[in-house]
Amino acid sequence: MTAAPVRARRKPRDWPNEEKERLIAETLLPGANVSAIARAEGLDPSQLYGWRRKALSSGLVAPLTETTKKEVKFARVEPVASSAVEIVLGDVVVRVGGDIESDHLVKILRAVRKA
């Protein structure tokens, strides 16, 4: 009979404030994946989310956004009895018939987003 040793509980790591600040700043960049950043550093994602939440709630840190200089626009949705569908993406309006195939519509929307 063979036995595998019982894995000892891992001692909590003490993260220096500079490391925490670096990781939090990395998570605040546009498009950052917090879980991937945490795993790459050998950290549980929930821990990094906790640090980030504390930093944001303190008011000393704010997420960076690419759209800080762009005007924010909202789309108004008005229900109408029609077979046509109108999709607003930023300042572009896409109007399609109700009989469009979903694959074709996905291709159109991806092309609009890239433009």
Side-chain angles (χ1 to χ4, degrees):
M1 181 185 296
T2 61
V6 177
R7 198 174 97 186
R9 184 168 181 190
R10 188 172 40 155
K11 184 180 177 188
R13 182 174 169 185
D14 187 27
W15 289 83
N17 287 339
E18 295 79 26
E19 278 293 300
K20 288 181 183 179
E21 290 168 3
R22 180 185 65 80
L23 291 170
I24 292 168
E26 196 174 328
T27 67
L28 296 174
L29 295 173
N33 182 330
V34 178
S35 295
I37 293 167
R39 288 188 188 101
E41 295 290 331
L43 181 64
D44 191 79
S46 64
Q47 182 66 56
L48 186 52
Y49 274 109
W51 293 345
R52 183 179 176 199
R53 190 172 31 256
K54 267 187 175 177
L56 289 170
S57 68
S58 72
L60 299 175
V61 179
L64 299 174
T65 61
E66 296 174 349
T67 59
T68 53
K69 295 181 181 178
K70 293 182 182 176
E71 181 182 335
V72 177
K73 296 181 182 178
F74 295 93
R76 178 182 294 181
V77 178
E78 296 178 13
V80 293
S82 172
S83 62
V85 177
E86 189 173 287
I87 302 168
V88 180
L89 296 170
D91 58 347
V92 177
V93 178
V94 179
R95 291 184 186 94
V96 294
D99 58 345
I100 189 169
E101 292 188 26
S102 59
D103 294 337
H104 189 63
L105 179 58
V106 168
K107 289 177 186 176
I108 292 170
L109 294 177
R110 284 185 181 148
V112 168
R113 282 189 175 172
K114 287 182 183 179

